[in-house]
Amino acid sequence: MSKIAIIGHGTVGSGVSEVLRGGAELFSRRAGRDVSLKYILDINPIDDPCGITDFSTILNDPEVDVVVETVGGATHALDYTRAALNAHKSVISSNKELVATYGDELLALAHESNVNYLFEGAVGGGIPIIRPISQCLLANRLEEVYGILNGTTNFILTKMTDERMDFAPALKRAQELGYAERDPADDISGKDVCRKICILASLAFGHHVYPDDVPTTGVEDITAEDIIWAKSKGYAVKLIGRAVRVEDGISAYVAPHLIPKSNLLAGVGDVYNAIITCGDTVGDVMFYGRGAGKLPTASAVVADIIDAVKHKNERKYFDWSPAKSGWLIPPDELKSQWYVRGEGLCDEKPNGKFAMRVLL
Amino acid sequence: MSKIAIIGHGTVGSGVSEVLRGGAELFSRRAGRDVSLKYILDINPIDDPCGITDFSTILNDPEVDVVVETVGGATHALDYTRAALNAHKSVISSNKELVATYGDELLALAHESNVNYLFEGAVGGGIPIIRPISQCLLANRLEEVYGILNGTTNFILTKMTDERMDFAPALKRAQELGYAERDPADDISGKDVCRKICILASLAFGHHVYPDDVPTTGVEDITAEDIIWAKSKGYAVKLIGRAVRVEDGISAYVAPHLIPKSNLLAGVGDVYNAIITCGDTVGDVMFYGRGAGKLPTASAVVADIIDAVKHKNERKYFDWSPAKSGWLIPPDELKSQWYVRGEGLCDEKPNGKFAMRVLL
């Protein structure tokens, strides 16, 4: 018997409770042990038989094996996660900011406490990517990981491309359809993608990469004219998070790119996400699906819950060490072709002009 | 310390020994235990310090924890696998024919013997798909799984499309490039895809689906004219293996389809494979990469080896029961639009004429 506590009753938290309750019998069979929801903690009292407002109830209940953190941010969520891991409870998170900023510390803490810290839902929503990188591709030395990691900006760029819209009306449309938050700053500035590529880079290359160290450009300066020009030359414009192995280290950055039609990423539209990994034995592998949303993210979180319950007495191992000094090489040193506004394709990025890399 | 024995020194077997030897230190760290190759068994003596010709050497060596079966076929490979599992050794396989035909029996035998039977390499080469379905998508009720599962036929269809070649010269080109075997019967008849969709259907829906029960049409009757017509209407022609949940059961079949450009599968060319799963919480997820070849398949096999070594004392659980009588519904009952040669798109498939389903 494993009892689950969810912290945070927002979009993801309520999705997790819905999915968990809808499939309790199936999940128990798949976990090989009874799984049931015991608490939902929120700062505001909620109308639910599992609703509580005091975290210590969870901490002091020995029946609770698994704590699901869907609080978001890196302040309270950090305190809750540290406390739960210290109390020898496994923690499942969909919180990319927390994992990107404190992943190494929290994984080490989970290891010390002999429990698991899992976060399949933190990158790519319901798309399996954390487990494939950390298990299925173990026989590879990964050379690169990159992709479309934010559904809101991909929706905006798709609208700008298909309907020749400018940025502002495309953003408004995304907000009307509920694809963009009222405050979409983290999406359009590339910050959200930055957190996700940090997590992927840390997993793929084995050392923690911090968001503050990753140069990040968003989509707000792209115009309909840039996109029309790119399209006329056979390119799609996509916001890409990218981490690539270079001599003596890795380079990681977030920026809009021109993607040739021959790359499957060019066909990834709307709110979809896609991640490509390049390994020395397997070559390129792509993972594609809904990168956000209540149920897709809950799908990933609940799979982690089943995993944590099933492997209650066993540790998942991520090859993720603390950051390595001098290991991050500025992306300026990566050779590239550039689209320069008003000039077309150039081999160098001129100063003071708006430019986007061409993905080769 | 875990010692590995490989049975069969063909394309996959030699790829596995190459990858294992090249990364022994890394893999040992990732498995949390020393991993090393001890035997390579082949019916013909091979020039390798690990080469042996007598299977009983492996069976009677208590140091060997993991046996890798890359023999192919379902006769000798079946005997080796049964014997190894009975001797309490985990078995890793890339043999789709064996898994598709005897998967339920061999998984049950592994369970009884308290060891693992893993086969990530049997479908999609190096593309992670077995583990994602059986672990990452556990929180979903899967409704459908389908995809491009054979690189040889996909290469042939790509050539026929891009260069307006007919079937015979496109096959010849594939053979010249080493993408098709000298006897390509299992590829072009759809038999290879049939085995793979049986494995995916069994995993996705929980009961064994046998190849003999899955109606299978290959690519040999497709003409350049069919493809040119389809292209003019915005469709790509692809050989698809498909299993879909219907009322009271599932339908599974293999046949060439017309794929609309809006489906990412339409853009999957050359020898690449792609598999789409549709789940009730996550929606559609696609997995894409090299579906065959020495190193991509070795990538999957070696990941299974690491997993088996790491979880030496723990069982992987596949939700895969014996076949269920009356559960397979003939695909004729699946509504579809059809391309009919000489007639174009029709709502019914007329008798006696060459026709292909349109994927909706």
Side-chain angles (χ1 to χ4, degrees):
Chain A
M1 168 72 79
S2 274
K3 299 283 188 184
I4 315 298
I6 299 171
I7 312 184
H9 197 244
T11 305
V12 177
S14 59
V16 172
S17 66
E18 188 182 320
V19 172
L20 259 188
R21 281 169 167 154
E25 200 184 324
L26 177 69
F27 303 147
S28 299
R29 185 160 60 84
R30 288 179 171 175
R33 194 177 275 145
D34 268 357
V35 181
S36 71
L37 182 60
K38 187 162 186 181
Y39 301 116
I40 302 172
L41 174 76
D42 204 88
I43 39 169
N44 303 309
I46 56 167
D47 182 20
D48 189 295
C50 294
I52 56 169
T53 53
D54 180 10
F55 179 58
S56 64
T57 310
I58 294 171
L59 219 51
N60 298 324
D61 186 335
E63 277 196 339
V64 173
D65 285 331
V66 178
V67 173
V68 178
E69 182 269 301
T70 66
V71 176
T75 54
H76 299 303
L78 178 62
D79 298 336
Y80 290 137
T81 302
R82 281 181 177 148
L85 292 173
N86 275 321
H88 303 281
K89 299 176 191 301
S90 285
V91 175
I92 313 299
S93 179
S94 63
N95 182 340
K96 53 227 167 201
E97 186 177 352
L98 188 64
V99 179
T101 319
Y102 295 98
D104 54 346
E105 178 202 317
L106 297 171
L107 282 167
L109 185 53
H111 191 79
E112 276 170 38
S113 297
N114 203 27
V115 292
N116 284 304
Y117 184 52
L118 305 175
F119 40 81
E120 182 66 71
V123 182
I127 307 170
I129 183 67
I130 305 291
R131 224 173 245 95
I133 288 182
S134 58
Q135 293 183 22
C136 309
L137 301 176
L138 272 186
N140 287 265
R141 174 181 155 103
L142 293 179
E143 299 299 334
E144 185 168 351
V145 54
Y146 68 101
I148 297 169
L149 295 165
N150 180 274
T152 306
T153 46
N154 203 42
F155 177 85
I156 291 170
L157 293 172
T158 304
K159 281 285 149 204
M160 290 174 75
T161 307
D162 294 349
E163 303 180 21
R164 297 183 164 223
M165 276 184 179
D166 253 318
F167 176 76
L171 169 59
K172 199 165 162 247
R173 177 73 60 85
Q175 286 172 314
E176 285 161 5
L177 289 170
Y179 294 153
E181 316 265 337
R182 231 194 271 170
D183 176 6
D186 281 1
D187 291 322
I188 66 179
S189 67
K191 219 177 212 183
D192 175 76
V193 174
C194 177
R195 292 165 184 152
K196 292 168 178 168
I197 197 64
C198 285
I199 297 174
L200 294 177
S202 305
L203 274 177
F205 302 117
H207 289 280
H208 197 119
V209 176
Y210 292 106
D212 284 349
D213 298 333
V214 173
T216 297
T217 309
V219 297
E220 57 270 60
D221 295 332
I222 303 171
T223 64
E225 285 67 37
D226 296 325
I227 291 183
I228 290 165
W229 187 92
K231 203 175 167 183
S232 76
K233 302 289 177 193
Y235 295 100
V237 176
K238 300 286 177 191
L239 180 63
I240 298 291
R242 185 174 174 222
V244 54
R245 202 186 280 278
V246 293
E247 227 187 304
D248 302 326
I250 69 153
S251 271
Y253 66 95
V254 178
H257 283 69
L258 269 60
I259 315 278
K261 284 279 145 67
S262 56
N263 187 312
L264 275 188
L265 286 188
V268 173
D270 290 321
V271 294
Y272 283 88
N273 282 199
I275 300 144
I276 295 183
T277 57
C278 316
D280 61 346
T281 60
V282 74
D284 288 6
V285 175
M286 186 174 97
F287 304 86
Y288 163 93
R290 288 190 170 271
K294 181 174 171 170
L295 291 181
T297 307
S299 163
V301 171
V302 172
D304 274 349
I305 294 174
I306 298 173
D307 209 6
V309 170
K310 196 172 157 188
H311 301 108
K312 197 178 162 174
N313 302 312
E314 192 223 346
R315 301 293 64 76
K316 291 276 152 178
Y317 172 66
F318 292 114
D319 200 354
W320 180 321
S321 313
K324 192 165 145 186
S325 153
W327 184 64
L328 271 179
I329 312 296
D332 303 344
E333 299 183 20
L334 290 174
K335 279 264 165 229
S336 187
Q337 208 178 23
W338 294 84
Y339 157 79
V340 181
R341 187 178 290 159
E343 299 193 11
L345 297 182
C346 304
D347 287 335
E348 298 282 338
K349 181 186 176 186
N351 282 332
K353 294 200 174 173
F354 178 83
M356 292 187 277
R357 260 181 217 272
V358 180
L359 197 82
L360 296 180
Chain B
M1 169 69 82
S2 275
K3 298 282 189 185
I4 315 298
I6 299 172
I7 312 183
H9 198 245
T11 306
V12 177
S14 59
V16 172
S17 67
E18 187 183 321
V19 172
L20 259 186
R21 281 171 167 152
E25 200 185 325
L26 178 69
F27 303 147
S28 298
R29 185 161 59 83
R30 289 180 170 173
R33 192 177 277 143
D34 268 357
V35 181
S36 70
L37 182 60
K38 187 159 184 183
Y39 302 116
I40 302 172
L41 174 75
D42 204 89
I43 39 169
N44 304 309
I46 56 166
D47 183 21
D48 189 293
C50 293
I52 56 168
T53 53
D54 180 9
F55 180 57
S56 64
T57 310
I58 294 172
L59 217 52
N60 297 325
D61 187 335
E63 277 196 339
V64 173
D65 285 331
V66 179
V67 173
V68 178
E69 181 269 302
T70 66
V71 177
T75 54
H76 299 304
L78 178 62
D79 298 337
Y80 289 136
T81 303
R82 281 182 178 147
L85 293 173
N86 274 321
H88 303 280
K89 299 176 191 301
S90 286
V91 175
I92 313 298
S93 178
S94 65
N95 181 341
K96 52 228 165 197
E97 186 177 352
L98 188 64
V99 178
T101 319
Y102 295 98
D104 53 347
E105 178 201 317
L106 297 171
L107 283 167
L109 185 54
H111 191 80
E112 275 169 41
S113 296
N114 203 26
V115 292
N116 284 305
Y117 183 52
L118 304 175
F119 40 82
E120 182 68 71
V123 182
I127 307 171
I129 183 65
I130 305 290
R131 225 172 243 96
I133 288 183
S134 59
Q135 294 183 23
C136 309
L137 301 176
L138 272 187
N140 288 263
R141 174 183 155 103
L142 292 179
E143 299 298 333
E144 188 168 349
V145 54
Y146 67 101
I148 297 169
L149 295 165
N150 180 275
T152 307
T153 46
N154 204 42
F155 177 85
I156 291 171
L157 293 172
T158 304
K159 281 285 149 202
M160 289 174 75
T161 306
D162 294 350
E163 302 180 23
R164 299 185 163 221
M165 274 185 180
D166 254 315
F167 177 75
L171 169 60
K172 198 163 162 248
R173 178 74 59 83
Q175 288 173 313
E176 284 162 6
L177 290 169
Y179 293 154
E181 315 265 338
R182 230 195 270 171
D183 176 6
D186 281 1
D187 291 322
I188 66 179
S189 67
K191 221 178 210 182
D192 176 76
V193 175
C194 177
R195 291 166 184 150
K196 291 168 179 166
I197 196 65
C198 285
I199 297 173
L200 294 177
S202 305
L203 274 176
F205 302 118
H207 289 281
H208 195 120
V209 175
Y210 293 105
D212 284 348
D213 298 333
V214 173
T216 298
T217 308
V219 298
E220 57 269 61
D221 295 332
I222 302 170
T223 63
E225 286 67 37
D226 296 325
I227 290 182
I228 290 165
W229 187 92
K231 201 174 168 184
S232 75
K233 303 290 176 190
Y235 296 100
V237 176
K238 298 287 176 191
L239 180 62
I240 298 291
R242 185 175 175 222
V244 54
R245 202 185 279 278
V246 294
E247 226 187 304
D248 302 327
I250 70 153
S251 271
Y253 66 95
V254 177
H257 283 69
L258 268 61
I259 315 278
K261 284 279 147 69
S262 56
N263 188 313
L264 274 190
L265 286 188
V268 173
D270 289 321
V271 295
Y272 283 88
N273 283 198
I275 299 145
I276 295 184
T277 58
C278 316
D280 61 346
T281 61
V282 73
D284 288 6
V285 175
M286 187 174 97
F287 304 86
Y288 162 94
R290 289 191 168 268
K294 181 173 171 171
L295 291 181
T297 307
S299 162
V301 170
V302 172
D304 274 348
I305 294 173
I306 298 172
D307 208 5
V309 169
K310 196 172 158 188
H311 300 108
K312 196 178 165 176
N313 303 312
E314 193 224 345
R315 300 294 63 78
K316 291 276 151 179
Y317 173 67
F318 292 115
D319 200 355
W320 179 322
S321 313
K324 192 164 145 186
S325 153
W327 183 64
L328 271 180
I329 313 295
D332 303 345
E333 298 182 19
L334 290 175
K335 278 265 165 229
S336 186
Q337 209 179 21
W338 294 83
Y339 157 79
V340 181
R341 188 179 290 160
E343 298 191 13
L345 297 183
C346 305
D347 287 336
E348 300 283 336
K349 181 187 176 187
N351 282 331
K353 293 199 172 172
F354 179 82
M356 291 187 277
R357 262 180 215 272
V358 180
L359 196 81
L360 296 181

